[in-house]
Structure formats: C-alpha cells, structure tokens
Amino acid sequence: MDNSIFTPVALPYAQDALAPVISPETIAFHYGKHLQAYINNLNAALPGSGFEGKELEEIVRTAEGGIFNNAGQVLNHTLYFTQLKPAGAESAPEGALAGAIARDFGSFEAFKAEFQKKGAGLFGSGWVWLASDAEGRLQIVQEVNAGNPVRRGLKPLLTFDVWEHAYYLDYQNRRPDHLAALWQIVDWSVISARYGF
Ligand code: MN
C-alpha cells in the first residue's frame, strides 16, 4: 500500500447513532462529502510536493498553503469524528484529566461554559480545541479555518467544528445551541487516552 494515500477514518458508530444531536444527513455530508473532498484534495496535491510518505501530523505541523489546509482538515476531522459516541448517557472526564480540568478551569461546568463561549465567539470558520502542553497543563485554543494546536506545539485533545457545514442542516444559524448539545456525544474515554497523563 502506498503510505502517501490517505483514506477516511472509520466511524466508530453508525451514521444515525448521533441523532438527535447530529443527524444522519449531516454525517452523510460532513463525513461522506466534506471530509472525503479534503482527502481527495490532499492526495492529489502530494505527488512531487516533498510531503509524500510523511505522517499526517508532520504535514500539518510543517506545510503551508493548500497542502496545509487540506491536511489540517483531514487531521481535524479525524480527531473530531473519533471522539464522539452514540447519544445517550452523557459521559464526563475521569482520573487525571478530570483533575487537570478542575485545576486549570475551576470545574468541569466552568470548562464547558468557556469552551462553548470560545466556540460561539470564533468569527467565521474554524475549530475550538482543548489542548495540552508537554506538562499536562490544559488550555482552550481557537483556530481559524484548518488550524490545529499541533502548530503551536500543543497536543489536541477535544475539538468542536464550528464550520457551518458541521451544523447548518440541523441547527441553521444556531451555532451556540449545537455546541451546547455536543456534550451529549463526547466520549471522554477517548479524550483521556489522548491526554495520556
Ligand atoms: Mn467539518
């Protein structure tokens, strides 16, 4: 297999499992069309670029222009789709991550409020992130367009996509309502594993 060819990450749930927070129609477009287009664009741009055969994260950290934009969106959507779980009982951080959230934001509720505020307040298209530094200290980072905290030397843990394509079919202009609902489908065991402390 050619390692320079990227493919969409497998969804760890059925396409209708996130409803009513995210409809199967949104997944069909967001995962099936938007993510696929970023992957196709990235694969088409790699030959002769000097980035062939490189790991995705290294491309995101070091590329510029169209290769950065498409690689960033592939990495961002991979992290986004694999952090979600079927709607149902809301999960919460545990262990070291729960302790770090309490230490760095005051409480889990205060963290969620600040995260939603920074997502709602991000002008235009982008992503709001929970990220960790090398010592495990947490921060909330706003990134426009295809931005990812790996560009700042931070480890990305959790992200909400605030591009309109992520929510417009289900929430139209109500981005804050979409962000508030997303907590119902965050799989905090995935976020803890990414944190790694
Ligand atoms: Mn998206």
Side-chain angles (χ1 to χ4, degrees):
M1 182 182 162
D2 184 341
N3 288 327
S4 68
I5 300 300
F6 292 98
T7 56
V9 66
L11 293 179
Y13 39 77
Q15 294 209 9
D16 61 358
L18 306 183
V21 178
I22 298 176
S23 69
E25 291 77 20
T26 290
I27 295 291
F29 279 95
H30 197 188
Y31 175 80
K33 305 289 187 190
H34 289 278
L35 173 57
Q36 188 65 56
Y38 296 126
I39 286 172
N40 293 346
N41 291 339
L42 177 60
N43 286 334
L46 286 176
S49 68
F51 290 99
E52 289 164 288
K54 300 260 198 265
E55 296 287 339
L56 182 59
E57 187 176 314
E58 184 184 348
I59 299 173
V60 174
R61 278 193 286 104
T62 57
E64 301 296 337
I67 291 186
F68 162 69
N69 285 332
N70 286 288
Q73 288 294 74
V74 173
L75 178 59
N76 297 351
H77 285 94
T78 298
L79 292 166
Y80 172 80
F81 283 118
T82 56
Q83 72 188 0
L84 302 178
K85 67 166 188 62
E90 197 168 317
S91 79
E94 295 179 355
L97 181 59
I101 287 173
R103 179 195 65 206
D104 296 338
F105 302 106
S107 69
F108 182 48
E109 290 307 314
F111 158 72
K112 290 201 295 183
E114 184 66 14
F115 197 84
Q116 286 176 225
K117 185 178 163 192
K118 289 204 165 149
L122 201 165
F123 186 79
S125 295
W127 303 77
V128 58
W129 297 87
L130 175 65
S132 165
D133 70 14
E135 282 74 49
R137 289 190 187 80
L138 302 174
Q139 55 186 283
I140 298 170
V141 179
Q142 292 172 311
E143 296 278 2
V144 298
N145 299 325
N148 186 297
V150 298
R151 303 269 287 184
R152 308 168 188 246
L154 299 173
K155 181 189 290 185
L157 304 177
L158 167 73
T159 191
F160 286 179
D161 184 348
V162 303
W163 286 61
E164 283 188 341
H165 68 222
Y167 60 86
Y168 210 82
L169 291 176
D170 301 327
Y171 297 83
Q172 294 79 47
N173 61 314
R174 293 175 290 114
R175 185 197 287 184
D177 293 349
H178 171 65
L179 299 179
L182 278 174
W183 302 115
Q184 298 173 48
I185 56 170
V186 171
D187 185 344
W188 282 97
S189 68
V190 173
I191 312 307
S192 282
R194 290 175 185 170
Y195 184 52
F197 283 90

